Amino acid sequence: MNARDTVNPGRKPWSPYVGGALSGLLVVASVWVTGKYFGASTTFVRSAGFVERVFSPEHVAALDYFVKEAPKVDWQWMFVAGIFVGALLASLASGTFRWQAVPPGWAERFGPSRPRRGVAAFCGGVLAMFGARLADGCPSGHGLSGSLQLAASGFVALACFFAGGLVTAYILYRGR
Amino acid sequence: MDLTYGLVTGILFGIFLQRSEVLRYDKQLGALRLRDMTIVKFMLSTVVVGMVGVYLLVDLELAKLSVKPLVLGGNITGGLAFGLGWGLLGYCPGTSLGALGEGRWDALWGILGSLCGAALYAEAYPAMKVTLLTWGDFGKVTLPRLLGVNHWVVIVPMVAGALLLFRWFERKGL
């Protein structure tokens, strides 16, 4: 679709239906073997706890939320680390690894400024993670694991994720 | 042992996400701008296959569900806040790590922001617990239980609906 993707594109991508269906089988296998459903955002709480504990262990020990989601390495923490490793291996093997500071679509709209992209990504991350914890899950925990279990919370959260995302995308890219 | 399974599962998921190009900012914004449904196709395919497989396991008593409670105050406000931030970042919590893995290192700013967001939420949690998280709490309910029907009565139409949606996407070239 985009001309820039045809410049040294690496190996052709998989169909998202194939990648998605394989991921579905992976969820089923994971639930069967270990009883674990996919999720990602709790790992950020545990990791934030790790970092904060270095500076102020008493404060971390006093916060209810860090008692509930204690700073520790668990199944999900390794799962999230694995996503990083898997993406690294797959991108290197397929020639699609790119060291890139600003995504092409962003650069087309907002220019090549790295600080501008960095500030937006940082603020987006703060808001997204605060929201994910308030909602009790992210597109993995609610979107995939929740809705595939037919959880009412999963469908409600997923609809709200997209509703919020559509609003931001509309504001940022209006008329383009 | 759990940790090893977690790592292996994550690596496989990372490979599937990367090879389907789901990790990219342009793909995520493509969906939010209703121009490129790659991530929606991926997610729905995962959900459809996972739904059938997991409920088969449950019927055979080989697995248990792990359902998050429906708390409208938290799910709706948190979900909307997540979405607003997601549109700005262009990665979600899981895919930000994957995006970094394929060299799109603007995701690093998002990951740092996410850690701050998580820390902020830990501060705000006591206040949330007595306000938003008490509004519209229905407990751990599933759609079939709300409707009072067998789960396959919900699953079969959902699978059919997803397939119709996929056909429509392909016709429209989305």
Side-chain angles (χ1 to χ4, degrees):
Chain A
M1 196 180 73
N2 300 313
R4 59 180 170 270
D5 290 341
T6 60
V7 183
N8 184 20
R11 213 170 286 167
K12 267 177 72 177
W14 295 359
S15 152
Y17 298 121
V18 174
L22 284 171
S23 303
L25 292 175
L26 186 64
V27 179
V28 177
S30 175
V31 168
W32 194 352
V33 177
T34 59
K36 301 288 184 189
Y37 289 86
F38 291 7
S41 58
T42 312
T43 293
F44 286 81
V45 179
R46 299 197 198 281
S47 302
F50 273 128
V51 177
E52 264 187 75
R53 207 161 56 176
V54 174
F55 301 101
S56 176
E58 313 81 30
H59 185 61
V60 171
L63 284 178
D64 272 5
Y65 204 58
F66 286 132
V67 174
K68 187 167 168 275
E69 315 287 3
K72 66 169 187 220
V73 172
D74 61 352
W75 181 92
Q76 194 199 86
W77 204 97
M78 295 302 287
F79 171 74
V80 173
I83 294 176
F84 170 82
V85 176
L88 177 64
L89 295 176
S91 60
L92 290 175
S94 62
T96 51
F97 183 92
R98 296 282 181 284
W99 196 246
Q100 187 184 81
V102 181
W106 174 277
E108 211 169 89
R109 173 73 181 86
F110 297 104
S113 162
R114 290 179 183 188
R116 184 185 288 186
R117 169 61 187 150
V119 169
F122 182 87
C123 295
V126 173
L127 185 58
M129 187 53 64
F130 190 93
R133 292 328 302 158
L134 181 55
D136 195 20
C138 61
S140 303
H142 271 314
L144 299 181
S145 302
S147 50
L148 73 84
Q149 295 183 74
L150 307 173
S153 54
F155 293 113
V156 171
L158 188 57
C160 292
F161 295 160
F162 274 92
L166 286 167
V167 169
T168 302
Y170 178 77
I171 294 169
L172 293 182
Y173 287 89
R174 190 169 25 188
R176 300 242 169 191
Chain B
M1 205 58 218
D2 257 11
L3 298 185
T4 312
Y5 278 120
L7 184 66
V8 172
T9 311
I11 290 175
L12 289 171
F13 191 44
I15 294 172
F16 300 158
L17 289 165
Q18 202 280 332
R19 291 313 298 131
S20 311
E21 296 189 337
V22 177
L23 299 170
R24 308 215 177 144
Y25 171 92
D26 288 7
K27 293 290 184 185
Q28 307 227 350
L29 263 291
L32 297 179
R33 296 171 70 192
L34 305 175
R35 293 180 175 193
D36 177 345
M37 290 296 143
T38 303
I39 69 162
V40 177
K41 294 173 190 174
F42 185 99
M43 283 184 84
L44 266 183
S45 302
T46 305
V47 167
V48 163
V49 171
M51 194 180 268
V52 172
V54 165
Y55 270 98
L56 271 176
L57 291 179
V58 169
D59 280 351
L60 297 169
E61 295 181 355
L62 293 170
K64 283 198 185 97
L65 294 181
S66 166
V67 174
K68 292 173 192 266
L70 176 67
V71 184
L72 291 178
N75 294 150
I76 293 175
T77 50
L80 290 173
F82 174 87
L84 292 170
W86 176 32
L88 204 51
L89 173 54
Y91 306 113
C92 31
T95 58
S96 61
L97 266 296
L100 185 62
E102 61 169 0
R104 276 66 175 178
W105 65 269
D106 58 315
L108 194 57
W109 305 121
I111 293 167
L112 291 174
S114 299
L115 289 170
C116 293
L120 272 178
Y121 186 72
E123 305 294 330
Y125 179 64
M128 296 297 167
K129 205 165 62 171
V130 293
T131 52
L132 285 176
L133 296 179
T134 61
W135 300 348
D137 186 347
F138 292 89
K140 299 181 175 183
V141 285
T142 62
L143 227 48
R145 231 180 75 200
L146 276 178
L147 299 170
V149 294
N150 179 278
H151 41 265
W152 294 104
V153 176
V154 179
I155 293 171
V156 172
M158 283 221 175
V159 173
L163 293 177
L164 284 174
L165 191 63
F166 291 160
R167 204 176 71 162
W168 186 75
F169 285 160
E170 297 310 317
R171 279 196 180 163
K172 292 276 172 188
L174 283 167

